[in-house]
Amino acid sequence: MFEAGDIREWRGHDVVDVDRHRIGTLESVYVDTATDQPSFATVTVGLPARRRLVFVPLADARVGPGYLQVAHPRSRVKKAPAIDTDGELPAEDEAAVFTHYKLDYAPGAGGERRLARR
């Protein structure tokens, strides 16, 4: 599990896949609201005129010198649900992020969101 004490230390570093192919740069981390533990990262991908933030799970992620390695291939990550670089994930789109990676999704007991940006 990715456990950086201060995400600002990792923001802007490369994110690589299981084969160490570069995916993009780390933008932010979303925590699971039930546990307050890092759950997903957003990664900046695309050409300068068409940049977007894609979501990737942080389960089994590892840090190395200057990079974050995620447990998913680049091709899967680049097809993941995305938001604009200055956008927010709408509550109604949360389930799609989990579904893309075949992860179980359930909102909080009171219907609250599962992901919060840190």
Side-chain angles (χ1 to χ4, degrees), residues 33-113:
T33 58
T35 64
D36 206 38
Q37 294 297 310
S39 183
F40 282 86
T42 54
V43 180
T44 305
V45 298
L47 300 171
R50 292 197 253 176
R51 293 201 190 276
R52 65 192 196 290
L53 301 175
V54 295
F55 288 82
V56 62
L58 290 173
D60 299 322
R62 297 183 296 153
V63 293
Y67 67 86
L68 171 67
Q69 183 177 24
V70 296
H72 297 277
R74 177 174 57 184
S75 59
R76 181 172 221 167
V77 174
K78 287 200 171 190
K79 294 177 185 171
I83 58 175
D84 290 334
T85 55
D86 60 353
E88 287 290 326
L89 178 66
E92 61 271 10
D93 293 347
E94 274 190 352
V97 173
F98 285 78
T99 300
H100 179 77
Y101 292 102
K102 297 179 174 45
L103 300 171
D104 292 333
Y105 175 77
E112 60 273 355
R113 297 184 68 148

Side-chain angles (χ1 to χ4, degrees), residues 1-20:
M1 171 64 82
F2 173 70
E3 295 185 31
D6 185 351
I7 191 57
R8 289 176 292 197
E9 294 176 19
W10 292 99
R11 205 167 165 228
H13 284 257
D14 285 344
V15 176
V16 299
D17 71 2
V18 292
D19 297 318
R20 296 209 177 152

